[in-house]
Amino acid sequence: MTTIEYNHIVKKAQGRFNGGIHPTECKTLSNQQAIQSLPLPNFLILPVQQNIGQPGEIICQVGDEVSQGQLLVDNTEVFGANIHAPLAGKIIAIDQYPTNHPSGLPQTCLKIKTAKQQVSTELFSPINWQQVEPQQLLERIKLAGIVGLGGAAFPTHVKLAAQPINTLIVNAMECEPYITCDDRLLQEQSQQVIQGALISAKIVNAKEIIFATEDNKPDAIKQLSQCIKQIKSEVTIKIIVAPTKYPSGGEKQTIELVTGKQLPKGKLPASMGLLVQNVATLFAVYQAVNKGMPLTSRLVTLTGNQIKTPGNYWIPFGTTIESIMQHFDISDFTNQPVVMGGPLMGQPIFNYQAPVTKATNCLIFNIAATDEKMWLTQSTQHQPCIRCGECDKACPVDLLPQQLFWFSQSDQWDNLENQGLFDCIECGACAYVCPSEIPLVHYYRYGKSSIKTIQRNHEKSEKAKKRFEFREMRLARAKEERALKHKKAAEARKKAAQDKKADPTGKQTAINEALARVKAKKSAQNSTNPQPKE
Amino acid sequence: MNELLIATATLVIFAFLCGGLLGFASIKFKVDGDPIVEQINNILPQTQCGQCGYPGCKPYAEAIADGEKINRCPPGGEAGIKALAELLDVEPLELDDECGEEAPQRVAYIREDECIGCTKCIQVCPVDAIVGAAKLMHTVIESECTGCDLCVPVCPVDCIDMPEVAPNINEWQWPKPYLLTNNNEIPVKVIS
């Protein structure tokens, strides 16, 4: 085991956050092997929406032959990210397929039959990032469809548009058990990741880059510090090492560890002059700028006791879990959940047709031994809350998880919001320490989505109310106008009748009208031929 | 005797001052309309369907303020009755069967090739969510439709359907935890 040497580049973190847990790491399962690739899958199921926000426009058709990296979904929305063909092949269907969404509802996906011969075409020309304007780099990142690969899938070009930024924090904490893709990427591609960080720093005009990591990644730290020593740049690059504790990798927790300051509620890191980016995202930035490659695949940790060769693999988006299972010959795995993401924040997937997307960083194929209580086992019934307060001690954002639980159980939405439900990062530390095994995070998600539904319904009913009131107003106005018209018509009729009475034959009227005409004609002549003045 | 006069005069002056102040306040801080009606109306779902027997949500809100029962709104459902009961501090009641049943959100859909362009549905739509003109095809603006059903009975050719709104992945809601089956749980568990 390598030990960490602290020097002017590698420093210990000064900050700390309350709470947190120390689960068994299970990281050595997958971080001992070099990064590998899988053989080509037969087909891909590519969801057309892989970012938060609105879906984009599909610009291909069934039957189209697509080359690797070709743009398939053009997304011009504010929080949109483009989607490119992960592999060359033919689009055989555009339909609804089940994905990894927790609802189990199908999403629109492109089904691509992959070609036997993969010819890689260059979509963009490589850019020498030191010689171009930041705007051009930002445009490239937008076109390449890069989103945050830490799991939130927030479009990177939106994040990089924030100003002013002093410090770019590279989040290499990777605090969740089992996951090792960032660790491995730093060990093998640290040069590229640093380049990616420098590109991002140039875009936001940051003066400093800080790699924030945990002390359980000594190899990555060693590799990184060696690379940093060789780099000559105006930007200072440092590594800050925090003690291993879950969830150091949460954005707010990372900021607190690195700066010693808490991010205020409801504020973005940019308000403190900070920008936090994930390691894998920066690697994608490097690939897009220096190699001209759009984001079409990512490093995924494949691990668990059912995989004979666990490790980190480059997997094109759209590869189904089933095809991965076929490759590893996992046959005794029926009706078991494959965990997508980590064991604390991920979600169990029972439908193996679900594809790997931009947000997938880890897949765990685990079967718990029957006689022991292990990771990823599930119980259908939980014990009642005994108010032991263990969750309060574990919460990294200083909330009161048991209060949230009670309020969520009894649908007390106002109280939930007052207790800071929306500050909960759903890290699962409370559920991990709960002696009653209450699925606490689920109660919070239920509460959050219920409050959002209520808000959405309220907005809808406000809109309906406005439209209803406008219609009432419109009808009243129409009625008034009609009444006015009728009144005028009646008056006109009355006047006509009176006139007729005064002048029964209409002779006088005709004379009057003729006189008026003559008068008008005369005055018109006068104005066109004025008499010359003496 | 003098003390008695002073005391009486002081009290009288004081009474006039207070009266003046109250009079001023009643003009200055006059409340237009009944705020409770507005509060009730905010709870009602604004479907404007008339299932309660009143021609819209606002009239029903006014009726509730005058003592009408709070259980006559099927689109608001149980949650709506609960919220009304809380606001008015009365016992929540079961939904009145006469008015209808709580149903999932629906939206009107016009089978356009069958529409004869009679404009009858346009005239009854309480939120102006149907566009079209005489002898021309009509269509529903889906995002504005409240699913009130009022357009269905007036259509002379029965070309309006009321399909349920398909579950939307962006509006999907997590189920209540105790209703969960094993399959949907988050894998957070304890290590031995």
Side-chain angles (χ1 to χ4, degrees), chain A residues 24 49 53 101-103 105-107 339 342-344 346-348 350 372-380 408-409 411 428 431-432 434 437 439 441-443 445-446 449-450 453 456 458 460-465 467-471 474, chain B residues 38 41-48 55-59 82 86 105 122-130 141 143-146 165 167-178 180-192:
Chain A
T24 313
Q49 186 185 9
H101 195 268
S103 64
L105 291 170
Q107 276 177 292
V339 178
L344 285 145
Q347 67 188 85
F350 287 85
E372 59 179 329
K373 233 160 85 181
M374 244 197 92
W375 277 110
L376 319 176
T377 55
Q378 310 203 359
S379 62
T380 42
S408 172
Q409 211 178 21
D411 293 358
Y432 175 78
C434 181
E437 299 188 12
V441 181
H442 209 133
Y443 280 92
R445 287 181 177 168
Y446 164 68
S449 63
S450 298
T453 307
R456 215 168 26 236
H458 190 71
K460 259 188 204 162
S461 72
E462 277 301 303
K463 201 166 79 173
K465 193 162 108 185
R467 288 182 77 86
F468 178 68
E469 278 165 8
F470 178 77
R471 182 175 183 266
R474 179 172 66 77
Chain B
E38 211 40 57
N41 199 24
N42 278 340
I43 290 174
L44 295 175
Q46 305 300 324
T47 324
Q48 319 293 355
C57 294
K58 186 110 192 244
K82 218 173 112 187
E86 212 161 285
Q105 175 68 41
I122 296 181
Q123 288 162 31
V124 294
C125 179
V127 287
D128 286 339
I130 305 180
I141 309 170
S143 60
E144 311 294 352
C145 176
T146 62
V165 178
N168 177 337
I169 210 155
N170 293 323
E171 294 186 359
W172 175 76
Q173 193 188 333
W174 283 85
K176 204 164 169 96
Y178 62 72
L180 285 177
T181 58
N182 193 6
N183 289 5
N184 283 324
E185 252 177 62
I186 296 160
V188 179
K189 274 298 149 230
V190 189
I191 196 164
S192 60

Side-chain angles (χ1 to χ4, degrees), chain A residues 8 44 56 77 113 197 205 265 300 318 325 334 343 396 403 430 499 530:
Chain A
H8 67 286
L44 300 172
E77 300 283 339
K113 175 124 186 67
N205 204 8
K265 181 186 166 94
V300 180
M325 285 166 77
T334 42
Q403 286 301 95
C430 50
D499 288 351

Side-chain angles (χ1 to χ4, degrees), chain A residues 410-411, chain B residues 43 70 77-87 90 92-93:
Chain A
S410 50
D411 293 358
Chain B
I43 290 174
I70 58 170
E78 213 179 302
I81 293 174
K82 218 173 112 187
L84 284 174
E86 212 161 285
L87 174 71
V90 294
L93 304 161

Side-chain angles (χ1 to χ4, degrees), chain A residues 198-230:
Chain A
L198 287 169
I199 294 167
S200 302
K202 180 174 179 175
I203 294 171
V204 295
N205 204 8
K207 309 284 175 300
E208 190 183 24
I209 296 172
I210 295 175
F211 281 82
T213 184
E214 286 186 333
D215 60 7
N216 61 358
K217 299 173 194 61
D219 294 325
I221 293 167
K222 195 177 166 198
Q223 186 63 34
L224 202 56
S225 66
Q226 274 170 6
C227 288
I228 292 171
K229 272 177 204 160
Q230 292 161 9

Side-chain angles (χ1 to χ4, degrees), chain A residues 476-526:
Chain A
R477 192 182 60 198
K479 202 176 166 188
E480 215 168 83
E481 276 168 8
R482 223 171 22 243
L484 203 70
K485 213 168 119 190
H486 287 167
K487 206 175 151 195
K488 267 188 186 163
E491 270 169 18
R493 270 201 308 277
K494 211 173 167 187
K495 196 162 175 267
Q498 268 175 6
D499 288 351
K500 216 174 175 184
K501 219 177 189 178
D503 178 25
T505 51
K507 225 178 208 170
Q508 194 57 43
T509 323
I511 293 166
N512 285 346
E513 273 170 13
L515 277 174
R517 270 203 302 279
V518 170
K519 211 175 180 183
K521 212 173 176 183
K522 258 188 186 167
S523 68
Q525 258 174 6
N526 281 349

